[in-house]
Amino acid sequence: MRRWKVFGLAGLASAAVTGALAARAERRRRSSTVEDDRAGLGIRMGESDAVGRAGIEDSARPRFPRHEGTSGSEKVLDMAVLLRACAAGQAIQADGQDLLIEAHLVRELCRRGREEMDPRGLVIEGARIRGDLDLSGMEVPFPLRFVGCVFDRPVNLDGADLHLLVFDTCTVPGILANGLRVRRDLDLSRSRITGDLWTSASTSCTAAVWLCESEIGGRLLCLDTVIESAMRAMQADRMRVGGSIRLLHDFEARGAMRLLGVQVEGSLDLTGARLTGSERGLALNLGDARIGGSVFLIDDQTGRRPLVRGRIGLGNARISGQFLIRNAIFEPTEAVRGVGYSSSRSGGTAVSAPGLFIGGDLSVEGECQISGGMDLSMGSFSTIRVQRGCEFTVGGGHALDLTNAELRSSLVIEEGAAIQGTLRLVGAHIKGNLTLQGTRWSQPVKGSLIAAEGVVIESSLDLRGVEAVGGRLRFRSATVGGIVDAHGARLRNPGGEALSLQRVVVRGSILLSGGFLAEGRVLLNRCIVEGQLDCEGGTFAGGIEAVSATARGGMRLRWTEVPPLVDLTGASTTVLTDDPARWPRDSAIAGFVYDRFDGIWDWRARRDWLRAMSSFDAGPYEQAARVFRQHGRPGEAERLLIEQRRQARRASGSRGRSPGQWIRNALDLLYGLSVGYGYRPGRALWLLGALLALVGIMMLSPVVQQTLRATDPRGNVYAVDGRLITVDAVAASGDATATAARRGGRPGPCGDGQVRCFDPLFYTVDTVVPLMSLGQRATWYPETHSPHGLLISTLLNVASLLGWLLSTVVVLSFARLARPA
C-alpha cells in the first residue's frame, strides 16, 4: 500500500489537487445559484458546503505536507495534531496528492467532549479514510464534515446521535445508519455510495444506505448524489425528517429507494432525479409515507428531465401539499400483478398509489412520457390535472385508475393530451367537473376507453372534441349534476358501442350535436335527463338506442345523416323536434310518449313518418293523434287513427290468408270505406243521401210502380194508377168502416179514399229511413207474382236495411257531425 505523508507548507500544494478543488468550487458556485422555489424552503443548493466551511480561512488551515523521499515513506498523524486542528476549527485538508487518516483516529476525535472541540466541528477534506469508521451508538455533539474523502470500508452509524453529518463529494462503500439521530442536516451531496450491505432490518434484501427508524432534525440532502446497489439503493423505513428530502439534479439511484412509512415535515423534491428500480420493478416506495409539504418530480433549470425506470409506490401515503410531475419520463420495467385496487395491470404501472391522499392538486405537466399507468384508486385529491403534451402509453392497460376515488374539485385532462389505455372511474366521486375536451384515446382494456360505471360528477361532463378509437366511453349508472357536452366528439368503434350513457341521471342536458360523430352504437337506455337530449347536427353511424329514456326538456332529433337504427321504445319527453322524413325504417317508437311537436305539424308528414316504420304498432299512431287532438287539431288526429286502422288491416292480412281472415279484412275494409272506422260518420250521411236518390229514382220508374199494390180493409186491391185489380161485394158494416164499391165504375187512384195515396218521395223516405213511419211503406207493397215484383221487393228490403243502418249511424254521430272538422 502507498504510504501517506503529512506536511504543512502551504506553498508546496500539488497543482493537480489545486485544479480539482478549483473545478469543484466552480461546480458548487453554479449549484448555489439555483434557488429552491418549491415549498418555500428559501435555501440555496450547496448551502451545506458553505455552512461547513463558514469562517474557515484558507490561510488558517493546518497543512500536512508529504515528506520528500521514497514512495514508501509516510507521516503518521497523531491524535495531538488532529485535536489541535479541531480545537481551532480548522479543516484537515490535503494540499498534496494523498492524505491518509486512520478511521480509529476519527472515532477517537468523535469521543471528545464538546469543550475540547470548536463549534464548527470536525472537517476533513480530500483524505482517504482507512479502516472501519464505526460511530454506532455514539453521541457526537459537534458537526462532522467529510469533503472529497474516500472511505475504504462502510461507515457504521447505527444508533448514533449526531449534531450534523456531511458526506460531500465522497466515495463511500455503504452507510449503515439504522436508528441514526441527526439533530440538523444529513448531507450526502455529490457523493457516490455503493455497496450491498446486510442488516437485521431486512432478511431478504441488501442496500447501499440504511436509514431505518432514523431521525433527521433538518434536511436529507442528496444533490448530484449517486447511490448504487444490486438490490436497494436506500432503505429508510419509518424515517423521520424535520425538514425536506431533496434528491436533486444529477441524483441517481441505481436500485430501489424504499422509504416506507417515512414522515417528512417538509417536501420531497426529486428535481431532475433518475431512479432505476431493480427490486421487482420498484424504483421508489413511499407506501404509508406522511409528507407535510409537497412532492416535486420535475425537470431542473438546465433541462435535465427526471427519469423513473420502474414503479413509484405511494400506497396509503399522505401528501399535505401538491404532487407536481413535469417533463418526467416513466419507464416501468415489468408488469404488476395484484397491486392496488384492481387485480392486475397488464401493461405495467408507473405510479401505484391506492389510498393516496393529496391535500392539494395532482398535476402532470409539460411533455411527460408515462409508459405505464397511474393507479390512484380509493385516493383523495383536490384537483387532478393532466396538461396538453403529456402522453400515457399503456396499450391494453389502465392509464389512469381512479376507482372509488374522491376528487374534492375537478378532473381535467387538457386538450392535446394523448392517452393509450383506459381511464377508470368506477365508483369515483368528482365534486367538480370532469373535463376531457380535445383529448385523444386509443388501445383500451376490455373495450372501454373510459370505464366510469357509477361515477358521481357533481358538475358537468365535458367531452367536446374528444377523439376515441377502438373502444367505448362508458358511463353506465353515472350521475351528472350539470350537462353532458359532446359537441364535435369523434368516437370510432365500428360494430360495437361508441358511447354508453345507460341508466345515467343528468341534471342538465345531453348534447350530442354540433358535429358529433359516433361510429358505433350510442346507448341511452333508461337514462333520465332533466334538460334536453340534443342530437341536432350529430351523426350516428351505428344507431341510437334510448329505451325507456326520459328527457324532460325535450328531444331534438335532427341528425345530419339518417342513422341505421333509432330505438325509443318506452321513452318519454315533452317536446319532439325532428324531421319526420329523416327517420330510418328500422325505428322502434312503441310506447314513445311526447307532449307536442316543435315545428312540423303536418299530419301527412306524420302519417308518412309512422307508415315508414318497418314493423307496425298501433301505439305510435294513437300517441301522435293524442298530441294533435290536445292541440286543437281533431281532424288530423282522426286521419292518423284512420291510417292506424288501415295499417292494422294490412299487417293482419300479411300474417295469414284463412277464410276467416279474409272475411274480417273485407268487413274492416267496408267499415273503413263507409264511415272511416267510425271517425268519419259524415260519410254515412252521404251514403244515406245516395241511397235515397237511388230508391227515389227506382220509385219513379213506371216498371216499379206497376208492381205496387195496396189493400183496403175490405180486401180490395189497388194499383198506383187507380186500376182496380180485384173488387169483392161486401156488405156495409154497421160502423161504416167499409163501403160497397160501385160496380162497373172506375175508382180513383186511392180507391176513393180507401187507401193512402202513393207518393214516390215519401215512399222513398219511408223505405230508406225506417226510423220514422210515413205510412207509404206500410200501404204499398210490390206484387211478387207480377213481373219483376220479387226483385223489386228484395231491393226495397235491402234498401230498408241499409237505410236503417246508415240512419242509426247518422243519429248516433250527431254530436260529432255538429263539431267542425
Side-chain angles (χ1 to χ4, degrees):
M1 171 183 282
R2 177 183 298 176
R3 297 191 174 273
W4 299 62
K5 291 185 178 181
V6 182
F7 58 98
L9 297 176
L12 300 178
S14 171
V17 174
T18 302
L21 292 176
R24 186 171 67 248
E26 176 62 19
R27 186 178 181 182
R28 289 186 190 137
R29 186 189 66 79
R30 290 196 304 266
S31 299
S32 63
T33 61
V34 182
E35 297 187 358
D36 183 8
D37 58 350
R38 296 166 301 278
L41 297 178
I43 65 173
R44 293 180 181 272
M45 299 177 184
E47 179 182 350
S48 60
D49 301 324
V51 172
R53 286 176 294 279
I56 300 179
E57 300 292 338
D58 289 342
S59 61
R61 291 174 179 165
R63 310 295 181 182
F64 301 97
R66 179 168 55 85
H67 290 276
E68 299 297 332
T70 63
S71 61
S73 62
E74 64 177 359
K75 175 70 174 183
V76 178
L77 296 180
D78 57 15
M79 181 58 64
V81 176
L82 297 176
L83 187 58
R84 283 197 302 271
C86 294
Q90 299 170 346
I92 302 172
Q93 185 179 22
D95 286 338
Q97 293 181 352
D98 300 310
L99 179 62
L100 175 66
I101 300 178
E102 297 290 343
H104 69 88
L105 295 180
V106 178
R107 175 180 171 81
E108 290 299 322
L109 286 174
C110 292
R111 294 180 64 184
R112 298 289 178 172
R114 179 178 299 177
E115 65 280 357
E116 301 182 54
M117 307 294 290
D118 188 85
R120 285 170 286 194
L122 173 63
V123 181
I124 300 177
E125 295 187 10
R128 177 184 174 192
I129 311 299
R130 185 172 66 181
D132 293 321
L133 180 57
D134 188 352
L135 302 180
S136 60
M138 292 183 60
E139 181 178 356
V140 182
F142 50 85
L144 297 178
R145 293 186 176 89
F146 300 92
V147 181
C149 295
V150 178
F151 292 80
D152 287 347
R153 301 283 296 168
V155 178
N156 191 344
L157 302 171
D158 279 356
D161 189 348
L162 308 181
H163 182 75
L164 178 142
L165 179 60
V166 176
F167 291 97
D168 188 349
T169 323
C170 294
T171 300
V172 185
I175 298 175
L176 296 171
N178 294 325
L180 171 67
R181 181 182 180 188
V182 181
R183 300 180 185 275
R184 291 178 59 194
D185 294 344
L186 174 58
D187 190 351
L188 306 177
S189 297
R190 290 166 291 278
S191 294
R192 183 181 182 88
I193 306 172
T194 61
D196 295 288
L197 306 180
W198 293 92
T199 71
S200 59
S202 176
T203 60
S204 60
C205 292
T206 60
V209 178
W210 289 90
L211 287 169
C212 295
E213 287 83 29
S214 60
E215 183 175 345
I216 302 172
R219 300 162 297 172
L220 173 59
L221 301 174
C222 293
L223 282 71
D224 305 327
T225 304
V226 177
I227 306 176
E228 184 175 2
S229 175
M231 298 189 74
R232 293 175 182 166
M234 178 184 293
Q235 181 159 340
D237 297 351
R238 295 168 296 281
M239 176 178 64
R240 300 182 63 183
V241 180
S244 298
I245 297 179
R246 312 189 69 201
L247 313 177
L248 305 178
H249 301 304
D250 289 334
F251 173 84
E252 186 171 352
R254 300 170 185 172
M257 295 282 291
R258 174 166 158 155
L259 304 176
L260 283 176
V262 297
Q263 297 186 28
V264 183
E265 297 298 327
S267 298
L268 172 60
D269 197 342
L270 296 164
T271 299
R274 297 200 171 187
L275 310 176
T276 303
S278 60
E279 183 192 357
R280 295 185 297 275
L282 189 64
L284 176 61
N285 194 346
L286 287 166
D288 297 318
R290 298 293 182 267
I291 299 175
S294 300
V295 176
F296 302 100
L297 185 63
I298 61 177
D299 54 336
D300 63 14
Q301 294 181 352
T302 65
R304 175 184 168 95
R305 301 174 65 176
L307 170 64
V308 180
R309 188 171 284 114
R311 185 177 77 258
I312 294 180
L314 283 163
N316 297 316
R318 184 180 184 90
I319 301 173
S320 298
Q322 65 170 321
F323 188 4
L324 176 59
I325 302 173
R326 185 175 63 222
N327 292 325
I329 301 174
F330 288 85
E331 298 178 356
T333 56
E334 64 182 55
V336 182
R337 302 288 178 181
V339 175
Y341 188 78
S342 297
S343 60
S344 67
R345 299 291 185 274
S346 59
T349 301
V351 178
S352 179
L356 172 65
F357 174 88
I358 299 180
D361 297 344
L362 170 59
S363 299
V364 183
E365 301 178 355
E367 297 180 357
C368 285
Q369 298 176 4
I370 303 177
S371 300
M374 298 182 69
D375 180 5
L376 305 176
S377 57
M378 299 182 294
S380 179
F381 314 90
S382 178
T383 297
I384 296 179
R385 182 180 298 274
V386 179
Q387 291 189 354
R388 66 177 62 195
C390 296
E391 295 183 0
F392 284 79
T393 307
V394 202
H398 292 114
L400 188 58
D401 191 345
L402 288 164
T403 301
N404 292 332
E406 178 186 12
L407 277 76
R408 298 180 295 278
S409 185
S410 301
L411 171 58
V412 180
I413 302 180
E414 294 186 355
E415 183 177 0
I419 313 291
Q420 293 182 10
T422 294
L423 170 61
R424 185 174 173 85
L425 294 169
V426 177
H429 188 175
I430 302 174
K431 296 186 178 180
N433 298 319
L434 173 55
T435 302
L436 306 175
Q437 179 181 359
T439 53
R440 302 188 301 274
W441 302 82
S442 61
Q443 301 183 28
V445 57
K446 296 182 179 179
S448 294
L449 290 165
I450 299 178
E453 294 87 345
V455 65
V456 176
I457 305 170
E458 294 191 6
S459 191
S460 298
L461 171 58
D462 189 352
L463 300 174
R464 291 177 295 171
V466 169
E467 295 185 10
V469 179
R472 62 177 175 263
L473 309 187
R474 186 168 185 173
F475 294 88
R476 184 184 180 93
S477 301
T479 300
V480 181
I483 66 173
V484 177
D485 192 349
H487 274 86
R490 304 284 181 176
L491 312 180
R492 293 181 171 88
N493 189 27
E497 299 175 8
L499 176 63
S500 177
L501 295 172
Q502 299 186 83
R503 300 180 182 273
V504 171
V505 177
V506 181
R507 305 302 180 191
S509 299
I510 296 180
L511 308 178
L512 308 177
S513 54
F516 173 84
L517 169 65
E519 295 182 4
R521 295 191 306 276
V522 175
L523 303 182
L524 300 168
N525 300 330
R526 296 176 179 82
C527 72
I528 299 176
V529 186
E530 298 292 341
Q532 188 179 72
L533 173 59
D534 188 358
C535 300
E536 185 166 3
T539 301
F540 302 86
I544 179 171
E545 298 180 16
V547 177
S548 300
T550 300
R552 296 191 173 97
M555 291 186 180
R556 298 180 63 86
L557 305 180
R558 291 177 175 172
W559 25 69
T560 302
E561 299 179 3
V562 179
L565 167 68
V566 174
D567 190 350
L568 295 176
T569 303
S572 63
T573 188
T574 53
V575 181
L576 176 60
T577 304
D578 68 335
D579 184 353
R582 297 185 63 80
W583 280 71
R585 286 187 53 82
D586 194 4
S587 297
I589 57 174
F592 179 35
V593 179
Y594 45 91
D595 293 337
R596 63 185 302 269
F597 299 110
D598 183 12
I600 299 178
W601 283 89
D602 185 5
W603 74 271
R604 294 179 180 83
R606 292 299 166 186
R607 177 197 62 190
D608 296 339
W609 168 52
L610 297 171
R611 185 189 292 173
M613 303 297 174
S614 58
S615 60
F616 169 76
D617 190 278
Y621 287 89
E622 295 178 357
Q623 169 62 31
R626 182 183 66 84
V627 171
F628 275 102
R629 186 181 297 109
Q630 288 180 346
H631 290 81
R633 301 169 183 263
E636 288 89 339
E638 292 172 356
R639 290 186 176 93
L640 290 176
L641 292 175
I642 292 172
E643 181 64 25
Q644 171 204 7
R645 295 297 300 271
R646 289 174 180 168
Q647 296 301 321
R649 184 183 73 250
R650 294 171 182 172
S652 62
S654 63
R655 290 194 294 266
R657 297 181 179 277
S658 63
Q661 188 65 46
W662 278 101
I663 295 174
R664 286 191 294 271
N665 290 341
L667 292 176
D668 190 81
L669 176 60
L670 179 61
Y671 187 36
L673 293 175
S674 60
V675 292
Y677 300 101
Y679 299 106
R680 289 293 179 265
R683 294 181 184 178
L685 189 61
W686 288 102
L687 292 175
L688 185 62
L691 184 61
L692 286 170
L694 290 175
V695 174
I697 293 172
M698 186 177 67
M699 300 313 299
L700 290 174
S701 172
V703 176
V704 175
Q705 291 183 4
Q706 289 177 3
T707 63
L708 296 180
R709 300 290 184 267
T711 305
D712 62 12
R714 296 175 300 174
N716 295 313
V717 179
Y718 302 91
V720 295
D721 59 354
R723 289 185 300 113
L724 181 63
I725 303 303
T726 302
V727 178
D728 296 331
V730 178
S733 60
D735 56 3
T737 58
T739 60
R742 293 177 293 176
R743 296 180 181 275
R746 290 183 59 84
C750 303
D752 293 332
Q754 299 300 314
V755 295
R756 191 181 298 273
C757 293
F758 173 76
D759 189 307
L761 176 62
F762 289 107
Y763 190 92
T764 300
V765 174
D766 206 5
T767 300
V768 177
V769 187
L771 301 180
M772 63 181 71
S773 179
L774 300 179
Q776 289 290 316
R777 181 75 168 133
T779 302
W780 297 93
Y781 55 90
E783 174 58 55
T784 58
H785 296 289
S786 62
H788 312 294
L790 181 60
L791 176 60
I792 294 173
S793 176
T794 302
L795 292 177
L796 291 176
N797 290 332
V798 171
S800 296
L801 291 174
L802 292 177
W804 176 84
L805 178 62
L806 295 175
S807 300
T808 302
V809 172
V810 171
V811 171
L812 294 177
S813 304
F814 181 77
R816 180 182 293 272
L817 292 172
R819 184 181 62 193

